[in-house]
Amino acid sequence: MFGLGRPQPTSAEKIAAVENELKVVAEMHSRMVKICTLKCIDKTYREGDLSKGESVCLDRCASKFFETHQKISDQLQKETQARGGGGFGM
């Protein structure tokens, strides 16, 4: 009645959407760790702890990675909405 002509997702669809979102986040995290580690961590592992330079590099790399991911996600969401598609509001 109040769905404005769009059927509401079932519980199974909601669960599938959340599982898919978790999968996307886990894949993004794995890519970020791989990319930032290759870029920022010295392969000789001279110390047990991160150096200040490595730590700063990792922080910046992760920040840029998330910022870029957010911009891409926002753009894809705008395009999906412009085509009349929707999501489940997540």
Side-chain angles (χ1 to χ4, degrees), residues 18-44:
V18 170
E19 288 174 342
N20 187 49
E21 183 70 17
L22 286 173
K23 182 180 176 184
V24 168
V25 170
E27 289 172 355
M28 181 188 68
H29 179 264
S30 293
R31 284 192 316 272
M32 181 193 66
V33 168
K34 182 179 179 181
I35 289 167
C36 293
T37 298
L38 287 172
K39 179 180 180 185
C40 299
I41 305 295
D42 187 5
K43 291 173 184 56
T44 60

Side-chain angles (χ1 to χ4, degrees), residues 11-90:
S11 292
E13 290 171 330
K14 289 178 184 178
I15 290 170
V18 170
E19 288 174 342
N20 187 49
E21 183 70 17
L22 286 173
K23 182 180 176 184
V24 168
V25 170
E27 289 172 355
M28 181 188 68
H29 179 264
S30 293
R31 284 192 316 272
M32 181 193 66
V33 168
K34 182 179 179 181
I35 289 167
C36 293
T37 298
L38 287 172
K39 179 180 180 185
C40 299
I41 305 295
D42 187 5
K43 291 173 184 56
T44 60
Y45 294 108
R46 291 181 218 142
E47 301 176 24
D49 295 329
L50 293 174
S51 70
K52 180 160 179 90
E54 290 170 332
S55 183
V56 169
C57 181
L58 287 170
D59 185 51
R60 288 180 180 164
C61 183
S63 178
K64 288 178 183 179
F65 199 92
F66 281 116
E67 183 180 334
T68 302
H69 182 267
Q70 187 62 48
K71 286 180 181 180
I72 291 169
S73 295
D74 291 346
Q75 184 62 36
L76 288 174
Q77 187 175 20
K78 286 178 188 175
E79 290 176 12
T80 299
Q81 289 173 349
R83 281 187 257 136
F88 298 133
M90 287 187 256

